[in-house]
Amino acid sequence: MTGPPPARPGTERDDAVVITQSLDEPELFAGLYDRHAPDIHRYAARRLGEGAADDITAETFLIAFRTRDRYDTSHRLARPWLYGIAANLIGKHRRSEVRALKALARTGHDPVAASWSDRSDDRIAVQAPLAGALAALSPGDRHVLLLVAWADLGYQEVADALRIPLGTVRSRLNRARRKVREALSTDPTFVSAEQELTPSWTK
C-alpha cells in the first residue's frame, strides 16, 4: 500500500459530508449514528438513567435525520448539533431528573445512580452530595455544566449545541461552578465528589 485508505463517510472529519450525501442516499446517515450514538447514549444515561437513555438516543437521531436538510454544513463535526438535540429532549424530563438527583442526594440510592457509579456502593455515596448540588442548579446552568463536564464539549461547541451566545455559556458555567463548589464545600466528601466531574468543570 502507498498510504492509509481514504476516510470513509462517518469518520469525524466527514460528518457534514455524510449529512449532505444522505439527502440523496438516506442509508448513509447510519454512519453518523454508528459514530455518535454511543456517546449520546452514555451522556443521556448519566443524566436520566439507562432506560430513558435508549429513548433519548433513538429520538435524537430520528430528529436529526428528519431535519438534516437544515444542518449547517460549515460545521464539519455534528457532535454539538446532536448533543443540542439530546439536551432539548433531556430538558423535557427536567422534573424526573431533578427528582432522581434529589433522591440520590437524600438516600444515596436511585436507579440513575447505577449508570453514574458502575454499581459501586462507595461511589454512590460519593455521588450523593454532588447530586444534591446538581439538582439545585437551574436547567440552563445544569445543561452547560454537564455538556462541558460529561460530554466533553468545548465552550463554543456548547454555544452551538444550545444555540446561545458564547458569553452566556461562560456566565452560566461560572455560576454553576460557583454554586456546586459552595454546596460541596460544606460536605466532608467534597474532594471525592469533585473528582466525579471532569477536571474542566473547575477551571
Side-chain angles (χ1 to χ4, degrees), residues 7 18 44 61 81 87 103 105-106 133 135-136 141 143 149 161 171 176 184 189 196 199 202:
V18 171
F61 283 90
W81 177 55
R106 183 176 64 254
D141 290 356
H143 274 323
S171 63
L184 294 181
T189 57
E196 292 303 319
T202 57

Side-chain angles (χ1 to χ4, degrees), residues 123-193:
R123 291 192 64 193
I124 290 176
V126 166
Q127 288 290 1
L130 177 58
L134 292 176
L137 296 177
S138 70
D141 290 356
R142 189 164 53 249
H143 274 323
V144 169
L145 177 63
L146 297 183
L147 283 171
V148 170
W150 288 352
D152 199 28
L153 296 187
Y155 292 5
Q156 185 59 57
E157 290 179 312
V158 174
D160 293 340
L162 300 180
R163 298 183 180 181
I164 58 178
L166 182 59
T168 301
V169 171
R170 295 183 185 279
S171 63
R172 288 184 182 180
L173 188 58
N174 288 337
R175 183 168 55 244
R177 287 166 172 161
R178 184 182 70 254
K179 289 182 177 180
V180 170
R181 283 197 196 100
E182 290 173 353
L184 294 181
S185 64
T186 62
D187 192 286
T189 57
F190 166 65
V191 175
S192 296

Side-chain angles (χ1 to χ4, degrees), residues 113-114 117-126:
S117 59
D118 300 326
R119 310 188 192 294
S120 169
D121 289 340
D122 58 338
R123 291 192 64 193
I124 290 176
V126 166

Side-chain angles (χ1 to χ4, degrees), residues 8-28:
R8 295 182 296 110
T11 60
E12 186 169 340
R13 63 185 178 184
D14 294 333
D15 286 350
V17 174
V18 171
I19 292 169
T20 299
Q21 292 177 341
S22 75
L23 295 174
D24 295 321
E25 301 176 79
E27 66 276 9
L28 293 179

